[in-house]
Amino acid sequence: MRVFNCPSCGAPVTFHASVSVYAVCAHCQSMILCRDVGIEAFGKMATLPPDMSPLRIGAQGVLDGVGFALLGRLRIGWRDGAWNEWFMVTEHARKGWLAEAQGFFAACFEVPLEHDGQNLIDRDFATWKPKAGERVQVGDQTYEVADIKQTTCLGSEGELPFLANRGRQAVSIDLEGTARFASLEVYQKTGRLYQGRYVGWDELKLSNIRPLEGW
Amino acid sequence: MDTPGKPCVLKCPNCGGAVTLRAAGLSVSVVCQQCGSLLDVAREDIKLLEKAWQSKRTLLIPLGSRATLEGNLWEVVGYQARSSGSSKEARYAWDEYLLYNPRYGFRFLAQAEGHWTLYRVIKRGMPLPRGARFERFFDGQVRVDYVLGEFYWRVKKGDTVHVTDSIAPPYVLSVERDADEINTALGIYIPATEIAAAFQLDPNAMPKSRGVAANQPSPFSQRMPDVLRIAMWAVLVATLIQFGQAFFAANQLVYVETFDVDPETTERTHVSPPFTLHKGLANVCLESTAVLRNDWAELGVTLVNETTQEQRNLLQSMEFYEGYDGGERWHEGNNAASNCFSSVPAGQYRLVLDPDAGVFHKSQPGRQTFSERLYSDAPIWSNWLVLMLALLPYPLFLWLRHHSFEYTRWSESDYMPKVYAGIKNSLNGEDE
């Protein structure tokens, strides 16, 4: 855990996870980037619009017997709506995401696309124009492209493993495999692969959740 | 963000009225309850897509109503009226309420012809009910006719999707396709009384249930398998016991005699020679045959124990008539009779036979011939037959009611099973 003073307002800004490099000051909404040489503030993040999410930063839960905590949130918009991506870190310091969309929760973890310097995916992100239905090979797994969404970051809060400024544009590709599903995020010609599954509210045994009026 | 979550109240850009977003953050489209305008709330800015899009309509379950279903609390946030079929006769319309719980997501509560089904969206990898075998029931286009409240998808006017319904009552699996996506939902039938109680609706104001719903469980299907199984076992056990008894019965012939009775010349009463019954408490059966032609005969039978003088009685009646009438030969009656004494102790016995016959009462009385065969420990089928007659009607009744129910259900489907379709065709054939 690293604690800094916000360069803009002086309030303490905590980086709980070593993998976090970016945070939004909870006090003044300044965006803070953590570099080797120190921290740097640049611009302000607009407050996220009010919603009915039962999750919040600091909420804790259990996934497959391993505890995790929510550290930050991305609000992602696409053509027909928006969803939340909660940044989580497990007690084994594994970073993952808890997606909250259309009343469903899905937990996923990043899967490396490189192994011993070998590229595991048979696509070049610089030139690839994905189409629904095409087959993608990742290591020994075969996937089919199920859906392609152009996404825009609508805002963020808390700490995150990358700089997520408003307006950050990416392509989100849903992949369906025989055994599992995965999601590929292509941002500035680099791809990140996430594998996961749907999780039920009760299964997550969440604590320190957000109070909801009337619920 | 440490502020508690609460519904968002927006101002309708058209009428200025308050628009409540109960599923704020998830909702994409809202129809203003005051002016019926279609609003887009996918982003922070509210966009007015269409002014006064919908007329006002009073809903059976108003937006904002709450109810506990399947153990969780739900709030009504949206309503759609949907229909399939274009022609007036084939049109099938239903209500669909969108229910929301911030932790458990969304459910759809559909009402058609007074039958209610609660749907949940099924994502890839989610399990279906164990053992359910789904059968295709409906396949066709479904339209959105009316919308009110908020939705987590973009509502478009005249939205049409292709729907395929498969049933395994009380479940229905509904697959909806449009150009962009495929959605699967699993529904379960919920009795109207439960819905009325959950939403505290006046039971008398509920839509009257008509016909059989696609996924309505047959009221007989619950009992039928058990009843059929129990009946089958009972029949099997009774039949095994019966066959066992028949196989092990001694069926010993202890007395055979043919004799004539002529009231003019002989004594009417006929006494058999003594015979011994070896097996204790077995039955004793007498088969009598009278030589008859358009006449009747009776035998008063008394079985006498020679040691104790204990008596057992029974009466055997025989008759046989035949003739030729309207070009057809007919006959009726039976000139033989078989009756049993049950549980007769072992010992020395005689039969005392007291005959009467039609021929005795004629102006010129004649003689009557009787043939007797007496068996000890004979196999008896009558008890078994009575048991079968008692066992089978109820399962048969259930079976018929169940299939009548299923027939009514499938009458509404284009995918009627062949057996029912055959019945339907033959019924229609008779009508024409």
Side-chain angles (χ1 to χ4, degrees), chain A residues 119 121-130 186 189-191:
Chain A
N119 197 4
I121 187 164
D122 60 349
R123 288 293 187 284
D124 180 0
F125 295 114
T127 55
W128 186 29
K129 301 259 183 292
V186 182
K189 295 172 187 169
T190 48

Side-chain angles (χ1 to χ4, degrees), chain A residues 80-133:
Chain A
D80 283 340
W83 77 88
N84 289 327
E85 291 277 2
W86 295 89
F87 176 52
M88 66 176 179
V89 172
T90 71
E91 57 189 348
H92 299 153
R94 202 171 168 211
K95 56 180 177 172
W97 296 88
L98 187 62
E100 183 190 11
Q102 303 193 332
F104 281 95
F105 297 102
C108 56
F109 292 93
E110 191 175 343
V111 181
L113 283 175
E114 265 184 32
H115 183 69
D116 289 340
Q118 283 275 69
N119 197 4
L120 295 181
I121 187 164
D122 60 349
R123 288 293 187 284
D124 180 0
F125 295 114
T127 55
W128 186 29
K129 301 259 183 292
K131 283 187 196 70

